[in-house]
Amino acid sequence: MSELKYIFGPAPSRRLGRSLGINVVPSKICSLDCLYCEVGKTKATTMQIKPYIKAADILDEFSKNYDKFNELCDVITITGAGEPTLNSELDTILKGIKNITNKPVAILTNTTTLHIESVYNTLLLFDIVVPSLDSVDSNSFNKINLPDKNINIENIISSLEKFSHEYKGRLFVEVLFCKGVNDDKKSIEKLINVLKNIKAEKVQLGTIHRPPAYKNIEKVDDEFLLATANLLKNNNINAEVTGGFVSLYKTSATLNLDELIPSLLKMRPCTLQDMSCVFGKSENEINEALNILIEKNIIKASFYNDDTYYTL
């Protein structure tokens, strides 16, 4: 298997199952610099939309390699090392993927570009859209997401409300909480008032699971997430708490773990259990591959939240 530039994973997605990721922007082209981002810090935020990575290059790699991943993934997810909607060729990329596979195509977006007509119209074509909305209060929004100076939270709110009522696919709104940043009573009350007007299949509440960009932030506890989910339900909002990726898939496929594991870790830190679930192999098999990669100085182990994460 040749080195992959744009495809990564399959990655363990708490929302979608086994997700074959496609990175459509270089690291780290993003409009936000979220405290919790597992990809790392954004050196300079941007709202500039342009062909950061050419659609032809992405689709060429995808078409040549997709058969190798078909058995291992449940969904194709456009995401990656930044905000994917900043790629001006997103529409072409999506249509090209749909010509190759019948699996659902999802996109993870930070919602900051949804007010732009071309982005809005392209997102309508996805099977699954997962927009994030960590806060609707400008104060806590600025604290947790560290947005580009050209971003207006009101634009995000109004665009997402409109989109949710026009969109025909599956819409999952993601809210991620950081302790002492966006978990205060006032911020949650404002969030509920906005979510009431958004037509989403689910609102998924989570917190920090993998090592974040900024080391001085903390996750909220499970009790807070459960209480907040119940509060949303009491306001007729379908909410759930998302946790770690725990589903286990078995496969007899012969996999080159020496290449697949670094490809996955290039985009996000993972635990031994994460990789066992994603690749459908026993923890012993994964551990053997990890030990070889550690000996070769390709990956390393680090500790976070009482668990061992592997990174490049």
Side-chain angles (χ1 to χ4, degrees):
M1 185 183 296
S2 58
E3 182 180 355
L4 300 174
K5 294 181 179 179
Y6 315 117
I7 299 173
F8 66 95
S13 169
R14 296 185 297 275
R15 294 169 294 266
L16 307 173
R18 298 173 302 171
S19 166
L20 182 62
I22 300 180
N23 186 23
V24 300
V25 290
S27 181
K28 173 119 180 302
I29 302 297
C30 196
S31 50
L32 301 178
D33 182 24
C34 300
L35 298 179
Y36 56 78
C37 185
E38 62 196 32
V39 180
K41 296 179 181 179
T42 306
K43 293 181 180 178
T45 57
T46 183
M47 283 288 285
Q48 184 177 12
I49 295 179
K50 64 180 186 179
Y52 291 98
I53 301 175
K54 295 288 186 181
D57 294 336
I58 293 170
L59 294 174
D60 180 64
E61 180 174 289
F62 185 78
S63 64
K64 290 178 178 176
N65 291 277
Y66 175 66
D67 286 347
K68 303 169 187 175
F69 295 100
N70 184 33
E71 184 186 338
L72 295 171
C73 66
D74 306 306
V75 62
I76 312 299
T77 305
I78 293 181
T79 173
E83 172 50 36
T85 61
L86 293 175
N87 190 320
S88 59
E89 297 189 348
L90 182 62
D91 182 81
T92 303
I93 295 167
L94 171 63
K95 290 174 180 176
I97 292 169
K98 283 182 167 289
N99 284 335
I100 297 168
T101 177
N102 291 322
K103 291 192 176 180
V105 184
I107 186 166
L108 310 185
T109 174
N110 64 23
T111 328
T112 57
T113 60
L114 192 55
H115 64 286
I116 299 170
E117 185 178 5
S118 60
V119 173
Y120 186 100
N121 290 334
T122 298
L123 292 192
L124 288 173
L125 304 176
F126 278 83
D127 301 297
I128 304 168
V129 175
V130 185
S132 61
L133 191 67
D134 299 327
S135 177
V136 298
D137 174 79
S138 59
N139 207 23
S140 54
F141 170 72
N142 289 336
K143 286 180 180 179
I144 190 169
N145 297 128
L146 300 174
D148 184 83
K149 62 181 180 181
N150 297 307
I151 292 174
N152 184 320
I153 186 62
E154 295 302 326
N155 278 342
I156 293 175
I157 295 168
S158 60
S159 299
L160 185 53
E161 287 180 357
K162 178 185 175 185
F163 180 84
S164 72
H165 289 275
E166 185 177 353
Y167 181 57
K168 304 302 181 184
R170 306 183 71 190
L171 186 71
F172 302 99
V173 177
E174 181 183 37
V175 183
L176 192 142
F177 291 101
C178 295
K179 188 175 181 180
V181 183
N182 64 333
D183 59 343
D184 59 283
K185 183 178 179 181
K186 179 181 177 183
S187 293
I188 293 172
E189 287 175 350
K190 288 184 176 182
L191 180 65
I192 288 173
N193 287 333
V194 168
L195 291 173
K196 286 179 180 178
N197 298 319
I198 294 173
K199 187 181 178 183
E201 182 174 327
K202 285 182 182 178
V203 175
Q204 299 180 310
L205 310 181
T207 189
I208 305 164
H209 285 281
R210 298 185 178 94
Y214 289 81
K215 307 303 180 186
N216 59 338
I217 58 167
E218 299 178 28
K219 65 177 184 176
V220 296
D221 56 35
D222 292 342
E223 290 75 16
F224 169 84
L225 291 174
L226 290 169
T228 305
N230 287 331
L231 189 57
L232 266 64
K233 290 176 184 177
N234 291 339
N235 283 273
N236 298 314
I237 299 167
N238 188 16
E240 68 176 10
V241 175
T242 58
F245 184 87
V246 295
S247 299
L248 183 61
Y249 297 81
K250 293 291 186 182
T251 179
S252 59
T254 301
L255 305 178
N256 189 340
L257 294 175
D258 288 350
E259 294 191 4
L260 285 174
I261 289 174
S263 174
L264 173 58
L265 300 185
K266 178 171 64 177
M267 299 307 305
R268 64 179 63 180
C270 287
T271 64
L272 172 61
Q273 185 187 48
D274 285 339
M275 289 179 274
S276 176
C277 292
V278 171
F279 296 127
K281 298 297 182 182
S282 70
E283 291 191 7
N284 284 339
E285 289 175 279
I286 299 296
N287 198 44
E288 286 180 11
L290 291 174
N291 287 335
I292 292 172
L293 291 168
I294 289 173
E295 288 176 6
K296 292 180 178 179
N297 204 31
I298 295 173
I299 68 170
K300 64 180 180 179
S302 57
F303 297 93
Y304 182 76
N305 278 349
D306 299 322
D307 211 339
T308 301
Y309 282 83
Y310 294 89
T311 58
L312 290 183

